[in-house]
Amino acid sequence: SLLAQAWLYFHHGDLDLAIERCQSVFAANPNWAAAYQELGSFLLRAQRFEEALKYMDIADRLNPTDPRLSGRQTIRAASHFGLGQYEDCVSWTRKVQHSQYPRIWVHVLQLAALQKLGDGPGVISTKRALLQQWPDVSMSRIRPNKTYQISGLLEALQQVGLPD
């Protein structure tokens, strides 16, 4: 399928072709919420944050009860971080934290956004929760992941003293 091809291009480092292939899916099936979510994920990695948010809106309209909803909320949180909208980022991370599928990425985003907002108590409690749930999280594990390459994210995590 075109969506599988998009993922292959993504994993081979061709993000532009992955985005293009994912957009081709809509000609055959314009109502496939999962395809819009995947496109949003690729756009996030391309740091096209406003576009990623647009496609999350479409996916939500098409399937508001999708089991993959926490993934969409995470893409929203990361896109808001990338846009410098740290309050919105924290709001979306809190929704995912209380979902059936909490993700490490959500805690990392929330920690960085709270640091950007200067919320010392929030940073302390979020860092504690992150390290309790994922004790092996460290900057050396986060740094190489392209998903975390949003401007200001790594710096904020270093400032809170996440272990190297």
Side-chain angles (χ1 to χ4, degrees):
S1 81
L2 291 172
L3 195 55
Q5 288 176 13
W7 271 102
L8 284 173
Y9 286 120
F10 168 73
H11 286 293
H12 284 85
D14 194 337
L15 192 52
D16 291 333
L17 200 48
I19 290 169
E20 180 184 308
R21 194 64 74 202
C22 201
Q23 289 171 325
S24 299
V25 170
F26 307 129
N29 189 349
N31 296 315
W32 192 12
Y36 287 96
Q37 181 171 335
E38 296 309 327
L39 178 56
S41 175
F42 296 147
L43 291 166
L44 168 66
R45 287 172 174 92
Q47 299 199 21
R48 292 164 57 181
F49 307 117
E50 290 188 17
E51 288 176 84
L53 289 169
K54 176 181 121 181
Y55 285 104
M56 294 307 94
D57 289 342
I58 295 169
D60 284 348
R61 276 195 308 277
L62 291 172
N63 192 348
T65 60
D66 191 336
R68 299 164 39 104
L69 186 60
S70 66
R72 290 201 297 263
Q73 292 170 334
T74 303
I75 292 166
R76 286 181 187 283
S79 295
H80 284 294
F81 188 96
L83 292 168
Q85 299 166 348
Y86 305 119
E87 294 91 353
D88 291 332
C89 175
V90 171
S91 175
W92 283 106
T93 60
R94 289 192 173 132
K95 291 177 186 182
V96 180
Q97 281 178 324
H98 302 293
S99 75
Q100 185 177 356
Y101 307 105
R103 302 157 183 252
I104 187 173
W105 174 221
V106 169
H107 292 278
V108 168
L109 276 169
Q110 187 178 83
L111 183 60
L114 289 168
Q115 173 65 21
K116 290 287 193 177
L117 291 169
D119 182 348
V123 166
I124 292 167
S125 64
T126 301
K127 182 179 173 185
R128 184 180 316 116
L130 173 65
L131 293 172
Q132 282 175 344
Q133 192 161 2
W134 291 282
D136 61 339
V137 69
S138 65
M139 292 301 296
S140 60
R141 286 192 63 204
I142 291 171
R143 212 174 279 115
N145 187 328
K146 291 188 189 288
T147 305
Y148 296 105
Q149 301 303 314
I150 297 172
S151 178
L153 181 69
L154 295 175
E155 295 84 0
L157 295 172
Q158 288 172 322
Q159 290 169 357
V160 300
L162 203 61
D164 203 27

PDB file of all heavy atoms in Angstrom, residues 134-146:
ATOM      1  N   TRP A 134      10.347   5.382  33.765  1.00  0.00           N
ATOM      2  CA  TRP A 134      11.379   4.985  32.807  1.00  0.00           C
ATOM      3  C   TRP A 134      12.743   5.336  33.397  1.00  0.00           C
ATOM      4  O   TRP A 134      13.364   6.330  33.015  1.00  0.00           O
ATOM      5  CB  TRP A 134      11.177   5.699  31.472  1.00  0.00           C
ATOM      6  CG  TRP A 134       9.966   5.247  30.741  1.00  0.00           C
ATOM      7  CD1 TRP A 134       9.828   4.104  30.011  1.00  0.00           C
ATOM      8  CD2 TRP A 134       8.701   5.908  30.660  1.00  0.00           C
ATOM      9  NE1 TRP A 134       8.564   4.019  29.482  1.00  0.00           N
ATOM     10  CE2 TRP A 134       7.854   5.113  29.868  1.00  0.00           C
ATOM     11  CE3 TRP A 134       8.205   7.102  31.187  1.00  0.00           C
ATOM     12  CZ2 TRP A 134       6.538   5.471  29.581  1.00  0.00           C
ATOM     13  CZ3 TRP A 134       6.897   7.456  30.910  1.00  0.00           C
ATOM     14  CH2 TRP A 134       6.086   6.646  30.118  1.00  0.00           C
ATOM     15  N   PRO A 135      13.257   4.535  34.338  1.00  0.00           N
ATOM     16  CA  PRO A 135      14.495   4.878  35.039  1.00  0.00           C
ATOM     17  C   PRO A 135      15.731   4.953  34.141  1.00  0.00           C
ATOM     18  O   PRO A 135      16.721   5.586  34.518  1.00  0.00           O
ATOM     19  CB  PRO A 135      14.650   3.765  36.076  1.00  0.00           C
ATOM     20  CG  PRO A 135      13.691   2.702  35.713  1.00  0.00           C
ATOM     21  CD  PRO A 135      12.663   3.300  34.814  1.00  0.00           C
ATOM     22  N   ASP A 136      15.672   4.365  32.963  1.00  0.00           N
ATOM     23  CA  ASP A 136      16.841   4.394  32.085  1.00  0.00           C
ATOM     24  C   ASP A 136      16.798   5.530  31.061  1.00  0.00           C
ATOM     25  O   ASP A 136      17.645   5.604  30.172  1.00  0.00           O
ATOM     26  CB  ASP A 136      17.005   3.053  31.373  1.00  0.00           C
ATOM     27  CG  ASP A 136      15.820   2.688  30.502  1.00  0.00           C
ATOM     28  OD1 ASP A 136      14.711   3.234  30.731  1.00  0.00           O
ATOM     29  OD2 ASP A 136      15.992   1.858  29.595  1.00  0.00           O
ATOM     30  N   VAL A 137      15.841   6.454  31.187  1.00  0.00           N
ATOM     31  CA  VAL A 137      15.783   7.580  30.255  1.00  0.00           C
ATOM     32  C   VAL A 137      16.983   8.486  30.512  1.00  0.00           C
ATOM     33  O   VAL A 137      17.369   8.716  31.652  1.00  0.00           O
ATOM     34  CB  VAL A 137      14.455   8.372  30.367  1.00  0.00           C
ATOM     35  CG1 VAL A 137      14.354   9.131  31.670  1.00  0.00           C
ATOM     36  CG2 VAL A 137      14.293   9.315  29.198  1.00  0.00           C
ATOM     37  N   SER A 138      17.588   8.938  29.426  1.00  0.00           N
ATOM     38  CA  SER A 138      18.765   9.798  29.545  1.00  0.00           C
ATOM     39  C   SER A 138      18.924  10.618  28.272  1.00  0.00           C
ATOM     40  O   SER A 138      18.338  10.296  27.227  1.00  0.00           O
ATOM     41  CB  SER A 138      20.022   8.951  29.747  1.00  0.00           C
ATOM     42  OG  SER A 138      20.262   8.158  28.596  1.00  0.00           O
ATOM     43  N   MET A 139      19.725  11.648  28.363  1.00  0.00           N
ATOM     44  CA  MET A 139      19.993  12.478  27.195  1.00  0.00           C
ATOM     45  C   MET A 139      20.656  11.655  26.089  1.00  0.00           C
ATOM     46  O   MET A 139      20.381  11.866  24.917  1.00  0.00           O
ATOM     47  CB  MET A 139      20.886  13.660  27.576  1.00  0.00           C
ATOM     48  CG  MET A 139      20.208  14.684  28.478  1.00  0.00           C
ATOM     49  SD  MET A 139      18.725  15.427  27.761  1.00  0.00           S
ATOM     50  CE  MET A 139      19.404  16.296  26.355  1.00  0.00           C
ATOM     51  N   SER A 140      21.507  10.718  26.455  1.00  0.00           N
ATOM     52  CA  SER A 140      22.186   9.914  25.430  1.00  0.00           C
ATOM     53  C   SER A 140      21.199   9.021  24.669  1.00  0.00           C
ATOM     54  O   SER A 140      21.456   8.659  23.526  1.00  0.00           O
ATOM     55  CB  SER A 140      23.309   9.087  26.042  1.00  0.00           C
ATOM     56  OG  SER A 140      22.816   8.213  27.016  1.00  0.00           O
ATOM     57  N   ARG A 141      20.072   8.667  25.291  1.00  0.00           N
ATOM     58  CA  ARG A 141      19.043   7.894  24.583  1.00  0.00           C
ATOM     59  C   ARG A 141      18.127   8.799  23.769  1.00  0.00           C
ATOM     60  O   ARG A 141      17.617   8.397  22.732  1.00  0.00           O
ATOM     61  CB  ARG A 141      18.187   7.104  25.577  1.00  0.00           C
ATOM     62  CG  ARG A 141      18.929   5.907  26.143  1.00  0.00           C
ATOM     63  CD  ARG A 141      18.031   4.981  26.889  1.00  0.00           C
ATOM     64  NE  ARG A 141      17.027   4.411  25.996  1.00  0.00           N
ATOM     65  CZ  ARG A 141      15.855   3.954  26.411  1.00  0.00           C
ATOM     66  NH1 ARG A 141      15.544   3.992  27.679  1.00  0.00           N
ATOM     67  NH2 ARG A 141      14.999   3.446  25.564  1.00  0.00           N
ATOM     68  N   ILE A 142      17.920  10.010  24.228  1.00  0.00           N
ATOM     69  CA  ILE A 142      17.003  10.940  23.573  1.00  0.00           C
ATOM     70  C   ILE A 142      17.667  11.637  22.388  1.00  0.00           C
ATOM     71  O   ILE A 142      17.074  11.750  21.317  1.00  0.00           O
ATOM     72  CB  ILE A 142      16.493  11.986  24.586  1.00  0.00           C
ATOM     73  CG1 ILE A 142      15.581  11.303  25.603  1.00  0.00           C
ATOM     74  CG2 ILE A 142      15.791  13.138  23.889  1.00  0.00           C
ATOM     75  CD1 ILE A 142      15.196  12.180  26.761  1.00  0.00           C
ATOM     76  N   ARG A 143      18.898  12.073  22.569  1.00  0.00           N
ATOM     77  CA  ARG A 143      19.590  12.902  21.578  1.00  0.00           C
ATOM     78  C   ARG A 143      19.572  12.332  20.148  1.00  0.00           C
ATOM     79  O   ARG A 143      19.271  13.063  19.212  1.00  0.00           O
ATOM     80  CB  ARG A 143      21.028  13.142  22.036  1.00  0.00           C
ATOM     81  CG  ARG A 143      21.589  14.458  21.612  1.00  0.00           C
ATOM     82  CD  ARG A 143      22.975  14.717  22.208  1.00  0.00           C
ATOM     83  NE  ARG A 143      22.904  15.205  23.565  1.00  0.00           N
ATOM     84  CZ  ARG A 143      23.357  14.538  24.636  1.00  0.00           C
ATOM     85  NH1 ARG A 143      23.920  13.365  24.522  1.00  0.00           N
ATOM     86  NH2 ARG A 143      23.249  15.061  25.841  1.00  0.00           N
ATOM     87  N   PRO A 144      19.871  11.041  19.924  1.00  0.00           N
ATOM     88  CA  PRO A 144      19.921  10.545  18.540  1.00  0.00           C
ATOM     89  C   PRO A 144      18.550  10.380  17.864  1.00  0.00           C
ATOM     90  O   PRO A 144      18.485  10.250  16.651  1.00  0.00           O
ATOM     91  CB  PRO A 144      20.587   9.175  18.653  1.00  0.00           C
ATOM     92  CG  PRO A 144      20.942   8.971  20.067  1.00  0.00           C
ATOM     93  CD  PRO A 144      20.335  10.070  20.872  1.00  0.00           C
ATOM     94  N   ASN A 145      17.475  10.406  18.631  1.00  0.00           N
ATOM     95  CA  ASN A 145      16.149  10.182  18.071  1.00  0.00           C
ATOM     96  C   ASN A 145      15.684  11.436  17.337  1.00  0.00           C
ATOM     97  O   ASN A 145      15.519  12.491  17.931  1.00  0.00           O
ATOM     98  CB  ASN A 145      15.176   9.816  19.194  1.00  0.00           C
ATOM     99  CG  ASN A 145      13.822   9.414  18.694  1.00  0.00           C
ATOM    100  OD1 ASN A 145      13.347   9.903  17.684  1.00  0.00           O
ATOM    101  ND2 ASN A 145      13.191   8.510  19.411  1.00  0.00           N
ATOM    102  N   LYS A 146      15.444  11.312  16.040  1.00  0.00           N
ATOM    103  CA  LYS A 146      15.066  12.467  15.226  1.00  0.00           C
ATOM    104  C   LYS A 146      13.751  13.103  15.673  1.00  0.00           C
ATOM    105  O   LYS A 146      13.520  14.281  15.440  1.00  0.00           O
ATOM    106  CB  LYS A 146      14.987  12.071  13.757  1.00  0.00           C
ATOM    107  CG  LYS A 146      16.336  11.760  13.156  1.00  0.00           C
ATOM    108  CD  LYS A 146      16.225  11.576  11.668  1.00  0.00           C
ATOM    109  CE  LYS A 146      17.504  11.058  11.065  1.00  0.00           C
ATOM    110  NZ  LYS A 146      18.575  11.946  10.983  1.00  0.00           N
TER     111      LYS A 146
END
